[in-house]
């Protein structure tokens, strides 16, 4: 594992907000918005894997999309190479997309079924002009080798591949333009365990070989624990905890993180987990709870929690928690 | 186990006939379920676990599907041969089922209370009003707050977790003896999954039904099941008590599956992987179906299909390694 | 729901204004001077000039349009050039006949179409399904003027079951309504079938089966309501097409409806009647669309959320 703190900052997200307007149902209803991502900040260092975890609707995927400007964020800054991505012109943004790539959960949906793998890869290269025309053939063979597919795969169509192989193609396409950062949005979630293991190993190997940085978005905490250097936990559009992997899994501090970790079924019948069972469902992001957004489900909530939004506290080197009682929970 | 057997599946075979040929999605599986017990059926997509569950209640879409052989014995009756009208009396009454997708498994245009009441009225001698009242009671039983109000709502007004509670309420409304749960928590978030699993456990203890839990999640199995059947390519390859299975997995596939899981409490540099892919359902090898991916496979495995045999640990396993033939073969080599 | 209806009603206002503009402009584009037509052959230049003055044809177009609309609001659609009767009066006697025809045709479209669709969907790819769908295909392909004549020939001329033409009793309604509704019924049948087949594959149908619900109840209670949602839209669109179809059918069966009135007026170059007829037909279409939207909403409450 790399020592994260010594690496240079590759990407910095500052006060990022992404609101989506809600269609008004009633005539005189005030204008509402879904606060999908509500004022989050974090940094990503070169060569590391930062994971974003949380349950559906917490804003983890929206964060990834906002960084790439697949949706136009409402406010905030995303600084990459000294430039704010959110202020780039269309042309500069296109150039930049060569550095920042994304792999989705369902690669099949993003692969044109009529194109062969060769066409898909060559299209990606020509958009970014990342590889000279004469060299593209060689580069494609190299890519196939990198992601563990036979060279013959180049002349075939996406539907001829299994789920795991398609994800390898998705990875090859992302790598075609020599990216620095890859955002993996639930990239292994749809795969069976045995295939998932193959893809996770592949991602790790590629990271070492090509010095890639990953922003790994997932709901599966076991996978996150395996692949990450640092982990960021989100709840209802906010970051509740961010820490190096071991700190987070060994000393989860925010009550939500604790509940989340304790909810995972462990594949070992002898382990009896002390489960913190949360009551109810996640509240609506249109009208999130006042104060700490987790207070409606938090077993430790006090009056303070419902009235005042907690500051983010650094409980230990690099371990940040957004909870009024962070220090109490940390030592506890 | 001394408890009473309530469901016995013998050599069940379900085939699908399409233009590409016949696929033996479920190819001769056996298991028994006792009262109050939870049996897990695990495996990866396409292994036949869901088809098995649908076959028990004869809910396979036909054509193209067909139960091609075997028996499903429930209280002395073979469900495979039961007339459709008798089968209907059983469904949702003595054997009921919950499905993976709570989003799409409820009728979008009917109030949820009405959907529960429908099952009650079908199988119990209650009038409309009494059934509606019972439906509200069921909603309360599964922990839905203000059930009177919720009963009148339509599925889109409920969250995913609540919809799955509604499905459970519906399935349990007639006190079934067997509940088949097909990936009941796969579509849910972990904290909601924890709620639903806890609820199912509580209700099972209270109502004493046998549960068949179909899942791909070994964590869920470890936590909820008494015994497990591992399926691969239409066969059961290992059948054991949960404890034994996780402690001493026998089949190379089971071992691989467990080893390829990322661990929540342990650092691993590289994950174990099972190389290759599941053979095509239309073109099954004549030998062991796992042979092409198995690190231990020999010619014996590639040529002859192993039977499910009893191992000294009490588990059953479909693998030549644990048979006498394996030793003889070593000698020949 | 009330808000939705109000909102939807308000949306029809610009549509109606648009319709009046289109109708007005089209009439301006028709070759020939209305004053010349009105004055008749052999009229002097002075007479024509005086008529122009009287009709306000010297005014700029927007003033003419404004006059036209304000007259409309007072229920004044001008007078027929043929018989000097008020156009509105003429329309009012004709409209109910056409509406009656259209409504009966729509009923035939709905009842026949859905029934055929459901029968087909219950046993897809069976012989019955194939027969129903072939008949439906014929229904779409047959031109209504030929189909109408054939019906008239078989049932009126040969079998004497229904009257040949006219519009006096309920018996008179049957053949024209069937002629007009058959094409729509065929479309609705195909639509209902494919929609039903789609719905029957849904997870909630499997849930209903797992509850032990009878196949018949599954079809009528669980599948049909969901399957009908797209069908409603088709029926609404069909009603619009139907209004156009009345022109032909009214001519074949000699029915004094709105469609025939418009055709006759066009032939006689009776512009005020054409103008009024087209406007009223358009308004009927707008109203029907409104009703369809509201029904659609009632059937499919989930739209509210998205």
């Amino acid at each position: 594992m790399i020592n994260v703190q010594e690496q240079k900052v590759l990407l910095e997200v500052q006060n990022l907000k992404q609101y989506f307007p809600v269609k008004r149902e009633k005539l005189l209803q005030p204008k509402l918005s879904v606060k999908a991502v509500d004022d989050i900040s974090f940094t990503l260092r070169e060569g590391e894997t930062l994971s974003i975890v949380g349950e559906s609707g917490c804003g983890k995927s929206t964060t990834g999309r906002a960084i790439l400007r697949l949706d136009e964020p409402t406010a905030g800054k995303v600084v990459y190479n000294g430039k704010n991505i959110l202020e780039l012109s269309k042309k500069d943004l296109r150039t930049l997309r060569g550095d920042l790539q994304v792999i989705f959960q369902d690669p099949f949906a993003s692969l044109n079924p009529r194109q062969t793998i060769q066409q898909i890869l060559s299209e990606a290269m020509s958009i970014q002009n990342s590889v000279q025309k004469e060299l593209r053939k060689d580069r494609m063979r190299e890519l196939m080798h990198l992601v563990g597919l036979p060279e013959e795969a180049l002349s075939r169509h996406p539907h001829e591949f299994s789920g795991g192989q398609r994800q390898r193609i998705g990875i090859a396409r992302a790598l075609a333009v020599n990216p620095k950062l890859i955002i993996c949005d639930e990239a292994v979630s749809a795969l069976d365990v045995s295939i998932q293991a193959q893809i996770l190993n592949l991602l790790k190997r590629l990271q070492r070989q090509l010095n890639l940085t990953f922003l790994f978005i997932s709901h599966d905490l076991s996978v996150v624990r395996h692949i990450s250097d640092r982990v960021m936990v989100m709840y209802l559009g906010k970051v509740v905890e961010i820490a190096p992997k071991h700190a987070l899994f060994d000393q989860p501090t925010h009550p939500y993180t604790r509940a989340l970790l304790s909810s995972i079924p462990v594949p070992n019948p002898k382990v009896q987990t002390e489960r913190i069972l949360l009551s109810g469902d996640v509240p609506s992001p249109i009208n999130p709870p006042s104060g700490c957004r987790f207070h409606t489900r938090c077993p430790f909530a006090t009056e303070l929690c419902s009235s005042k939004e907690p500051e983010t506290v650094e409980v230990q080197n690099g371990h940040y928690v957004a909870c009024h009682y962070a220090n109490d929970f940390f030592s506890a | 186990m001394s408890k009473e057997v309530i469901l016995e599946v013998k050599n069940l075979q379900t085939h699908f006939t399409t233009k590409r040929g016949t696929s033996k999605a479920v190819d001769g599986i056996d298991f028994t379920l006792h009262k109050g017990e939870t049996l897990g059926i695990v495996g990866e997509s396409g292994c036949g676990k869901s088809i098995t569950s649908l076959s028990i209640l004869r809910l396979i879409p036909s054509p193209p599907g067909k139960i091609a052989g075997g028996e499903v014995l429930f209280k002395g009756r073979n469900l495979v041969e039961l007339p459709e009208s008798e089968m209907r009396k059983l469904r949702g009454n003595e054997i009921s089922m919950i499905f993976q997708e709570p989003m799409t498994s409820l009728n979008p245009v009917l109030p949820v209370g009405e959907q529960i009441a429908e099952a009650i009225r079908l199988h119990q001698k209650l009038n409309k009003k009494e059934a509606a009242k019972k439906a509200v009671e069921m909603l309360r039983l599964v922990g839905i707050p203000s059930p009177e109000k919720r009963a009148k709502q339509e599925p889109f007004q409920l969250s995913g977790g609540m919809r799955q509670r509604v499905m459970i309420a519906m399935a349990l409304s007639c006190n079934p003896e067997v509940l088949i749960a097909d990936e009941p928590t796969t579509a849910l978030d972990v904290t909601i999954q924890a709620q639903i699993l806890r609820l199912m456990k509580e209700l099972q203890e209270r109502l004493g039904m046998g549960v068949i839990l179909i899942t791909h999640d070994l964590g869920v199995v470890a936590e909820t099941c008494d015994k497990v059947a591992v399926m691969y390519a239409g066969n059961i390859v290992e059948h054991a008590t949960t404890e034994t299975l996780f402690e001493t997995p026998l089949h190379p596939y089971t071992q691989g599956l467990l080893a390829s899981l990322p661990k929540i409490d342990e650092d691993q540099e590289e994950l174990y992987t099972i190389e290759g892919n599941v053979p095509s359902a239309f073109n099954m090898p004549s030998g062991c179906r796992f042979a092409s991916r198995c690190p231990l496979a020999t010619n014996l495995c590639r040529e002859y299909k192993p039977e499910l045999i009893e191992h000294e640990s009490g588990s059953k396993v479909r693998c030549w390694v644990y048979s006498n033939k394996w030793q003889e073969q070593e000698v020949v080599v | 729901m009330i808000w939705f209806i109000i909102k939807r009603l308000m949306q029809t206002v610009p549509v109606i204004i648009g319709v009046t503009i289109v109708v007005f402009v089209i009439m301006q584009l028709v070759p020939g001077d209305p004053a010349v037509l009105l004055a008749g052959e052999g009229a002097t230049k002075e007479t024509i000039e005086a008529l122009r003055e009287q009709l306000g044809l010297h005014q700029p177009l927007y003033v003419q349009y404004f006059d036209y609309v304000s007259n409309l609001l007072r229920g004044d659609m001008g007078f027929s050039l043929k018989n000097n009767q008020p156009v509105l009066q003429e329309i009012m006697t004709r409209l109910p006949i056409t509406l009656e025809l259209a409504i009966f045709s729509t009923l035939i479209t709905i009842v026949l179409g859905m029934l055929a669709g459901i029968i087909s969907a219950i046993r897809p790819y069976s012989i019955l399904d194939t027969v129903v769908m072939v008949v439906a295909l014929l229904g779409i392909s047959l031109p209504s003027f030929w189909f109408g004549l054939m019906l008239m020939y078989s049932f009126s001329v040969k079998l004497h079951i229904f009257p040949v033409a006219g519009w006096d009793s309920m018996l008179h309604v049957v053949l024209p309504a069937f002629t007009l509704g058959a094409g729509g019924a065929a479309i609705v049948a195909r639509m209902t079938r494919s929609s039903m087949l789609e719905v029957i594959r849904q997870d909630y149908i499997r849930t209903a089966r797992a509850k032990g619900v009878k196949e018949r109840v599954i079809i009528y209670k669980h599948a049909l309501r969901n399957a009908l949602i797209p069908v409603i839209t088709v029926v609404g669109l069909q009603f619009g097409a139907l209004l156009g179809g009345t022109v032909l059918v009214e001519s074949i069966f000699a029915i004094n409806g709105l469609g025939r009135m418009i055709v006759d007026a066009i032939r006689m170059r009776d512009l005020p009647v054409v103008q009024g007829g087209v406007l009223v037909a358009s308004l009927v279409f707008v109203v029907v669309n409104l009703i369809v939207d509201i029904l659609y909403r009632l059937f499919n409450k989930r739209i509210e959320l998205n």
Side-chain angles (χ1 to χ4, degrees), chain C residues 4-304:
Chain C
F4 170 74
I5 295 174
I6 292 173
K7 214 166 98 184
R8 193 59 191 72
L9 270 175
M10 278 168 43
Q11 282 169 0
T12 59
V13 173
V15 174
I16 291 171
I17 293 173
V19 167
T20 61
I21 292 176
V22 169
V23 169
F24 178 77
V25 169
I26 286 175
M27 286 304 137
Q28 295 298 320
L29 295 177
V30 172
D33 188 334
V36 178
L37 281 171
L38 195 59
E41 276 175 61
T44 61
K45 266 196 174 155
E46 287 73 31
T47 326
I48 291 170
E49 203 50 38
L51 258 175
R52 294 184 76 95
E53 194 70 39
Q54 191 190 328
L55 292 172
L57 295 178
H58 285 307
Q59 304 276 7
L61 268 188
Y62 69 89
V63 177
Q64 287 187 44
Y65 173 72
F66 188 74
D67 282 346
Y68 167 67
V69 171
S70 66
N71 284 339
L72 274 185
L73 288 177
R74 274 182 275 116
D76 178 5
M77 290 186 169
F79 294 86
S80 163
L81 302 184
K82 199 177 75 188
N83 53 16
N84 254 334
Q85 293 294 310
V87 172
L88 186 66
Q89 193 187 316
E90 180 78 9
I91 288 175
M92 279 313 166
T93 58
R94 304 276 196 136
L95 184 63
I97 296 174
T98 297
L99 282 184
E100 199 180 335
L101 177 59
I103 287 167
F104 275 107
S105 310
T106 306
L107 280 180
I108 286 174
T109 294
I110 294 173
V111 173
L112 210 64
M114 286 183 185
L115 225 66
I118 294 166
I119 289 170
S120 269
I122 289 175
R123 299 225 175 283
Y125 312 110
S126 65
I127 295 172
L128 190 62
D129 173 35
T130 314
V131 170
V132 169
M133 282 303 120
V134 167
V135 171
L137 193 66
L138 283 175
I140 296 174
S141 329
L142 293 182
S144 66
F145 59 86
W146 183 83
F147 185 54
L149 286 175
M150 284 301 113
L151 284 180
M152 195 195 281
Y153 179 75
S154 342
F155 290 95
S156 310
V157 181
K158 286 282 163 193
L159 297 170
H160 304 289
I161 299 174
F162 298 109
V164 177
W167 196 255
D168 297 317
S169 67
M170 279 307 287
L171 277 183
H172 281 97
V173 187
V174 179
L175 290 187
F178 198 78
T179 308
L180 197 51
I187 293 172
V188 168
R190 296 178 72 86
M191 186 78 202
T192 306
R193 177 182 183 269
S194 62
S195 180
M196 280 292 279
L197 288 183
E198 173 74 36
V199 167
I200 283 173
R201 272 192 281 125
Q202 298 297 313
D203 289 348
Y204 55 83
I205 298 296
R206 187 178 60 187
T207 307
R209 289 206 177 105
K211 270 194 275 188
V213 181
K214 282 195 183 120
E215 211 53 27
R216 195 165 44 84
V217 180
I218 286 179
I219 298 287
Y220 295 107
K221 185 171 172 185
H222 291 273
L224 200 55
R225 219 183 129 184
N226 286 291
L228 286 190
I229 292 166
V231 177
I232 295 170
T233 321
V234 173
V235 171
L237 289 172
Q238 277 305 306
F239 194 88
L242 218 89
L243 286 176
T246 56
V247 174
L248 273 173
V249 172
E250 284 174 3
S251 299
I252 296 168
F253 291 93
I255 300 164
N256 283 323
L258 195 66
R260 199 162 166 227
M261 180 194 85
I262 296 174
V263 173
D264 288 346
I266 291 171
R267 201 181 298 139
M268 314 279 283
R269 315 216 79 193
D270 193 347
L271 288 189
V273 174
V274 176
Q275 208 172 18
V278 170
L279 182 70
V280 168
S282 312
L283 289 183
V284 169
F285 189 60
V286 169
V287 171
V288 169
N289 255 323
L290 180 73
I291 294 171
V292 168
D293 266 14
I294 292 169
L295 279 180
Y296 190 88
R297 180 88 159 191
L298 271 180
F299 266 80
N300 192 4
K301 291 192 194 146
R302 279 166 302 166
I303 298 175
E304 282 179 47

Side-chain angles (χ1 to χ4, degrees), chain A residues 55-56 192 246 270 278 281, chain B residues 45 159 189 191 195 247 267:
Chain A
E55 299 178 282
S56 21
D192 276 319
H246 287 111
K270 290 204 166 152
L278 295 180
D281 291 311
Chain B
S45 26
S159 69
D189 280 317
T191 61
Q195 292 174 2
E247 202 154 295
D267 286 337

Side-chain angles (χ1 to χ4, degrees), chain B residues 30-136:
Chain B
D30 305 78
F31 61 80
T32 52
L33 181 71
H34 297 82
K35 212 172 167 163
E37 177 185 59
T38 303
L39 164 71
I41 302 183
V42 286
E44 299 181 284
S45 26
C47 71
K49 57 189 191 300
S50 283
I51 304 293
T52 303
S53 67
L54 290 170
S55 299
I56 295 171
L57 272 182
R58 296 213 335 235
L59 291 171
I60 298 291
S62 169
K66 186 172 173 273
I67 298 179
E71 292 172 32
V72 177
L73 299 171
F74 175 72
K75 297 209 285 193
R77 291 193 290 178
N78 181 4
L79 302 190
V80 173
E81 284 165 358
L82 219 54
E84 181 62 23
S85 58
E86 288 296 306
M87 198 64 212
R88 264 205 307 270
K89 282 186 200 153
L90 218 111
R91 288 186 195 127
N93 186 19
E94 288 166 283
I95 303 178
S96 60
M97 192 158 177
I98 51 182
F99 299 98
Q100 174 173 359
E101 286 292 338
M103 301 292 167
T104 55
S105 294
L106 289 168
N107 190 328
V109 298
L110 294 178
V112 293
E114 161 64 28
Q115 296 191 48
I116 299 169
E118 185 180 30
I120 298 169
R121 258 185 304 146
L122 274 170
H123 303 297
Q124 297 178 7
K125 289 188 179 67
L126 292 179
N127 63 32
K128 215 168 172 166
K129 214 169 161 188
E130 291 163 338
K133 221 175 121 194
K134 175 93 192 277
V136 172

